[in-house]
Structures are given as structure tokens and as C-alpha cells.
Amino acid sequence: MQQIHTAFGTRYNTPLIADAAFRAKAEIAVPHPGIVPLVEHHAIAGAVRTVNANNDLVAIIAAVGRAAPGEVVVIANAIGDAGLIGDLIGTDAKRRGLAGVIVDGLVRDVPALVELGLPVFCRGRCPVGPLKLAPELRGTGELDIEVSVGQSTVRPGMWTFGDQDGVIFVAADDLPAVTAEAERALERESAVLEALERGSSLSELLAVEEFLELRAAEPSADFNAHLAAKGRAI
């Protein structure tokens, strides 16, 4: 797992991880596309620590306190909108060596969070913290449980990867297979890019006309299978 963690953001990116997971037939979860990095160039990777916050600040603080160095705290929030983390929680997470925080919701103290350099992914910003909400908008948080992030189910122990293209969650048991497929895909895509830079067309490199003829004869023909047979990847 350390191999894929250290390579992510330098050698791999989320589109490559997503494609590799598809080829490895691995379980993945892709949450709401509105969850993006607070700082555009930041990337995030690590094992997941979950909290269903329900606007309960205590549960969020506890999740960060329980997280081990290198883990990513994933905050789901089922009720209302509030700035779920700010400078204090961000500072604690940074000091404890967390890989970052993913919030299916809003954050606050943005200038301080940016200055910290901690990778934070979220859906937006709100100056009001959960403690200042009306009682009916505050519930009791739940720690280390299966949570819903957008339309996706995320479990403790899954791995997450995030960058400017979004966030993806992968089952930990599938990481070795995903890593192997990512390496193969990277080599194939690099070969295609080099050929494009030399003047070849993408249609030629991927034998698209040949596939169109095949599909005309066999409507069920699969482009992924065609690419695999040609030793190509996109």
C-alpha cells in the first residue's frame, strides 16, 4: 500500500487510479463531483477514518483525535450546512500527521486552512460553525462507521485518492491489483502520448477505423477489449 500512496500525486492521478480499478474489477466509490480541493494543486491519499458528523463538532474532533498519521478523515454530514472544520481542527490534523480531510459539506477559516498546507477537500465554505446552529440542526455524530458521501458508500479502512479531478475510494484489499494495473496503464498511456507528440493521430494509434468496422459487423463489440488487444490504453 505504501507504493501506491507514495506514487499518487507524482506518478499516478485519480483518472489513472479509476481506470486501473475498472480493469482490476475492483470495488470503487466516487462521491459527489462537487467535492474538490480547497487548494487547487493539493492531492490526498490514505486509509479512511470515517465520521457521520450530524453537525456534532465533538464527533469531528474525536475522529481527528483517533486518526493515525497518514490517515484521511472523511466527514459525512446528514443534516444542515455549517463550516464543519476550521483552523483549530485543521491545525490538530496537521500536527498529528494526517494525510488530509475530506468533508462532504462546508468548511470555514479558509485563509488559515490554506496557510496550513493540509490537503482539505470539501463542497464549499460557510462562516457559521456547528456549535452556533439551532438545536434542531445539531445531532449526535457517529464514529468509525459506514457513511454515505454523496451517492457513495464509504467504509472505514477503505483507501481514498483525491486531486483536481475529484475523489475516489477503493477497497484496501484491491490496492495491490489496482497498483499493478496503474503501472501497466501508465506505460501504455505514455507510449500513446509519445507517439502523439511525434505526429501520429489518436485515431490511428487506437485503430479506431478498424474498430468501427468491427462494430458495424458486431454491434456488441467492446472498445475496452479492442484496446487491450492492441496493447493500448486511454
Side-chain angles (χ1 to χ4, degrees):
M1 295 183 185
Q2 183 64 22
Q3 177 186 358
I4 197 169
H5 180 272
T6 54
F8 183 78
T10 55
R11 185 167 178 80
Y12 307 143
N13 56 27
T14 52
L16 191 70
I17 295 290
D19 289 351
F22 170 81
R23 295 187 182 101
K25 297 180 173 57
E27 176 191 0
I28 64 171
V30 182
H32 193 284
I35 299 176
V36 296
L38 195 60
V39 176
E40 188 176 13
H41 67 271
H42 276 179
I44 197 169
V48 165
R49 170 81 60 171
T50 62
V51 53
N52 189 22
N54 292 325
N55 285 334
D56 179 9
L57 187 64
V58 173
I60 297 170
I61 295 171
V64 171
R66 290 184 183 185
E71 289 187 330
V72 177
V73 172
V74 176
I75 303 172
N77 198 47
I79 55 174
D81 282 328
L84 296 178
I85 72 165
D87 56 346
L88 299 182
I89 292 176
T91 298
D92 191 31
K94 177 77 171 181
R95 182 189 62 81
R96 293 180 54 79
L98 273 60
V101 180
I102 296 173
V103 184
D104 186 14
L106 313 179
V107 302
R108 66 180 193 162
D109 299 322
V110 170
L113 288 176
V114 170
E115 186 175 352
L116 276 173
L118 176 77
V120 173
F121 283 60
C122 62
R123 287 195 285 107
R125 311 164 186 211
C126 177
V128 179
L131 286 180
K132 306 305 185 290
L133 295 174
E136 62 269 21
L137 295 177
R138 286 185 274 128
T140 301
E142 302 170 281
L143 296 159
D144 300 318
I145 64 165
E146 184 177 284
V147 298
S148 294
V149 181
Q151 300 300 311
S152 297
T153 299
V154 178
R155 298 185 306 276
M158 294 183 82
W159 269 59
T160 186
F161 303 91
D163 56 21
Q164 292 180 63
D165 284 302
V167 174
I168 185 171
F169 295 91
V170 180
D173 290 346
D174 291 325
L175 280 180
V178 171
T179 303
E181 288 292 348
E183 269 303 311
R184 285 190 283 269
L186 187 63
E187 292 175 3
R188 291 192 294 262
E189 288 189 11
S190 296
V192 171
L193 284 171
E194 290 173 5
L196 288 173
E197 290 171 355
R198 292 195 300 268
S200 297
S201 74
L202 189 59
S203 178
E204 174 189 1
L205 291 169
L206 303 183
V208 167
E209 293 298 333
E210 178 182 330
F211 177 75
L212 289 174
E213 291 181 9
L214 174 63
R215 190 166 64 182
E218 301 177 24
S220 62
D222 181 68
F223 194 49
N224 286 307
H226 169 78
L227 291 176
K230 298 296 180 182
R232 299 296 191 187
I234 57 172

